[in-house]
Each structure stands twice: as C-alpha cells, then as structure tokens.
Amino acid sequence: MTNFIQKNISKTFKLLQGCLGNLHFRAYQNLCLTLLTLCFSLFSYVEAWSQDGTSALRPGVLELKVGDALPEDLWNLSLTVINHPEGKQTIRLADYKNKPIILDFWATWCPGCITSLQNLDTIQRELPNEVVIIPITNDNVQKAEAFIKERGWQLPTVVNNSILQEYFPHKYIPHYIWVNQEGIIEAITGAEPVNRANIKTVIDGRNLDVANKIDLLSFDSKKPLFIDGNGGSGTAIKYRSLFSEAIPGLFQTISSVISDTINHTSRIYGINCRALTLYSLAYQKLQSFPEERIEYEIKDSAKRALFVTTKDGQTSKNHLFTYELITPLNASDKVRERVGVDLQHFFGLSARFERRLIDCYVLTALPTLKHAFSKGGERKDNLFGEQNEEKYIQNQTIDFLSGYLNEILPLAVVDEMSYRGTLDLKFPQPDIQNLKPLQEALRKQGISLEKGNREIEFFIISDN
C-alpha cells in the first residue's frame, strides 16, 4: 500500500513539472508545498490505520477463537519478515502446514515478551523440525532488526502486518496463538503456559490443558472500573468504597450490614441520604439518637451546610449522597468502623460520641408515682395537638414524655426514672417562661422535673 502511494506521488510530481514549467517560481513552490502536505497527511493516516489493526482493509476478516480452523486466506497470506535464515523477505503460514505453530505477538518495549522470546528462540533451535515459532511485532523494521541482532536470536520475525491483529485481536502482550498439526487453534494464552512441557504436548498431538487468555478489548483505563461495563459487571468485587451524588428516581434507603457467605463479602449502603444519615451507618446508635444532642463544631460554612436543612425544611439535592462499602466478609462492627474511616476521609471531618457536663432538667420518680400507673387501654396522647389545651398521655412510657419535653424545653431533659412501665398523665401546656405549673402537675402525679447538672452523651462532628 505504501509503495503504491510513493510511486504515484513520484509520477504526479514529474507530471506537474512538465505541465507547470511556465508557472512563476513562487506559485510553483506553493503548489508543491501543498501537495507535499497532502501526501504527508495521507502517509500519517495509513500508518495510524495500520497500528489500530482496524478491519476496514479486510471486511471479511473474522476474529478467530480457540477451536477454530485457520481459514485458507490466512494460510496463504503473505507475511513480511526480517531475520529469516534463508534471507527470505516474505513467508506464508502454509509453508509450515502439518506442524504445530506458535504465533508470538511481542514488542521491544515489553520486558515479559523479551524474556519469553529468548526462551522460545532456544526451544526453536532445540526442536527445529517439530514446531514453528513465529514472532510478530508492530515495531518498525529498523528498531526490530537492531534489537534481534543485538540478542543473537535466529527466529524470523513478522513485521508490518496489521491483518494478523485483526484475526487475533488483543490488548496485552505477550500474546500467543497455539495452532496444532490439524490447523486448529488449540489455545490462546499469555506467557505463563509457554514452556517446553506444553510445547511437547502439542507436538505429541495431545490436548493442551491451559487457561485461555481473554482480553477485554473495550476496556479503557482512563475510565472508572465497572462503570458502563468497563472491566465487567463488577459482580466479583471483593472490596470497594464508593461515594456519589444522589441517584435520580430512587428514594432514600439505608441498609444494615449484609453478609454474603457465598461470595465472602460484607456490604452496607445508603442511597440518596443526608450526610448525617450516612454517619448513622457508621454509628448505629445515631438512628435513634436525640437530634438536640448532636453538635456540629465545623468552621467551614459549606461543610456545615451539609448537615442542616434549609429554612423551609428541605434538603438541597446537592446535599444528598449515595454511599456503598463492600469488604471481605467481616463482623458488622468492623464493617461500620470502616464506614467511619471512609466518612472522615470523604468529608474531612471527625466524628465521636462524647460525654459533657451540661445544665439540664432531670426527671426522677417520687413515691407517689404508683398513682400514675396506667390503667391500660388504647395508647394515645394529644401532646402535639392544639396550643393551650391540657395535655395528656394514656398508656405511654416515660420515654414518650421525655422525648416530648426535650423538643419543647430550652435545656436537655435527662430521664433518671427507673420505672419502665406505662403511665396515664395530665398536665398543662408547658410554658418555657414559667415551668412551675408543669412541674407542680407532674409532682402531684409522682414525677419530679428539676434543673440540675449531668454528664450527657453527645455526638460531635468537628473539623479534623
């Protein structure tokens, strides 16, 4: 193809010289320069085409696989060679029919290829009539010849032949095609199975039991693994930590630690979650922890905004995250510890439970509490009903009352009551400016609500 273009360019220049002899020298020079540029572009295109191994030159070429017979057009394909012991410039695979053939795709820049090819050159000298080893390289002729000569190799090497790349597409080298005496592809492998024992197996006509090499031709190392199938579906992942933006079309979901004993992995995830919800994956107690006992000691306003809602109570889509962790099979607490480490690295924040001494209200039981023991019946209340009406709880626990008080009182409420049964209580609407009516009503029913100082557990998220 290249020789054809060169000959025609030469003829075109001679024709131009004859036809344009009367042109002004500058015009003639500019025309020649334009033609040279066009020719250079054509050469560059042909070279890139050859390196890509595209099948556009041979639309009928089909990828050959293990078990396929070599087609006649491949047997008779003229292959350009260097380093041939008889000085030949071309060979055909048909020249070696009825012998085992090993095609070795290699390059001068590939250390593994060089080590293996050195060994194959030795084996070929030992078995000159039993097997045919044909190295194939895309390196240019001068570079390949100098490289082979320096090492004293005797193997003839195929150069400048993209058609073989089309029959045997691959992404990584060394790449070996094993063809048996019947012209059937016995195996396609990497370097590891290429040894005397396996070569002798093929020579003896026995089946070659080796792992076949499969290259993912569409793999792009510049793109993330397993996204859009880049590298496969990801079903064999053993460890992965993933953060992303919200996934449209999915609701907020969090999981427990999921143990897969078949694949020996543990998995936990949170989909379309606020940052604080992700922290509840690492610190499970947060899932029922009072929000008023969560402190944000974060100076960066952008980071702080991740944990607070807008004035209308909505969370920005930019503040929702999706997270997934897959680890080797492990205990749930160990998996959650790993989630905590991931969150620290991703958000650049530290998190911890910490006990702090604070002013608070303390609920304690009085001897008369037995009079408030519930008489049973339906569990109900009106704590969040209309303002200024008398409040009541029926057949509810003290936790229900302390949770309500924690929401409306200016200080935290600490429950120090030992009673864990249910209660029937009545009391006036709490007034944070004057708590005496509430305190007196609760006291009459056996409950003390007084100010005090206590160490209370808080969850702290702070700058590192």
Side-chain angles (χ1 to χ4, degrees), residues 228-256:
D228 295 329
N230 190 41
S233 63
T235 54
I237 289 174
K238 297 302 180 186
Y239 191 103
R240 178 174 71 177
S241 174
L242 178 149
F243 284 89
S244 81
E245 297 177 354
I247 302 174
L250 296 181
F251 291 103
Q252 174 179 305
T253 310
I254 63 171
S255 76
S256 58

Side-chain angles (χ1 to χ4, degrees), residues 22 59 83 104 107 132 145 154 202 217 254 259 282 300 303 351-352 358 367 384 417 447 463:
N22 294 326
N83 200 45
D104 175 2
V132 176
E145 278 186 323
Q154 294 184 7
V202 176
L217 302 180
I254 63 171
S259 298
D300 187 320
K303 288 184 180 181
R352 63 195 182 278
I358 63 167
F384 297 97
M417 297 182 62
I447 299 174
D463 296 318

Side-chain angles (χ1 to χ4, degrees), residues 84-97:
H84 195 282
E86 299 175 11
K88 292 182 179 181
Q89 295 183 348
T90 62
I91 60 172
R92 298 178 309 147
L93 294 183
D95 300 338
Y96 310 104
K97 267 194 173 182

Side-chain angles (χ1 to χ4, degrees), residues 392-428:
Y392 74 89
I393 61 173
Q394 178 178 302
N395 199 20
Q396 300 281 16
T397 65
I398 196 66
D399 290 339
F400 194 82
L401 174 66
S402 64
Y404 167 71
L405 295 177
N406 262 306
E407 286 197 30
I408 63 172
L409 298 186
L411 299 177
V413 176
V414 177
D415 176 13
E416 292 186 353
M417 297 182 62
S418 58
Y419 179 68
R420 287 296 170 257
T422 57
L423 301 169
D424 295 333
L425 297 173
K426 292 182 179 180
F427 49 88

Side-chain angles (χ1 to χ4, degrees), residues 18-123:
C19 296
L20 305 175
N22 294 326
L23 277 178
H24 187 277
F25 175 75
R26 177 64 65 183
Y28 175 79
Q29 189 180 45
N30 288 339
L31 182 59
C32 288
L33 181 61
T34 300
L35 184 59
L36 280 170
T37 302
L38 177 61
C39 292
F40 178 78
S41 299
L42 183 59
F43 278 130
S44 298
Y45 175 72
V46 172
E47 183 66 14
W49 195 8
S50 174
Q51 287 175 354
D52 286 344
T54 172
S55 60
L57 285 171
R58 297 282 297 271
V61 171
L62 295 176
E63 176 186 351
L64 296 176
K65 301 177 181 177
V66 174
D68 290 344
L70 297 192
E72 282 303 313
D73 59 342
L74 178 55
W75 280 113
N76 295 307
L77 184 66
S78 180
L79 304 172
T80 302
V81 294
I82 58 174
N83 200 45
H84 195 282
E86 299 175 11
K88 292 182 179 181
Q89 295 183 348
T90 62
I91 60 172
R92 298 178 309 147
L93 294 183
D95 300 338
Y96 310 104
K97 267 194 173 182
N98 302 318
K99 288 186 179 182
I101 300 172
I102 299 176
L103 303 179
D104 175 2
F105 292 87
W106 72 288
T108 58
W109 46 262
C110 168
C113 301
I114 297 165
T115 301
S116 182
L117 192 49
Q118 178 70 54
N119 185 43
L120 285 174
D121 187 75
T122 302
I123 293 174

Side-chain angles (χ1 to χ4, degrees), residues 271-292:
I271 298 173
N272 297 354
C273 297
R274 290 178 56 199
L276 183 61
T277 305
L278 293 185
Y279 275 86
S280 73
L281 296 176
Y283 307 93
Q284 195 172 13
K285 189 162 52 173
L286 271 184
Q287 294 178 13
S288 58
F289 200 75
E291 193 167 346
E292 63 274 5

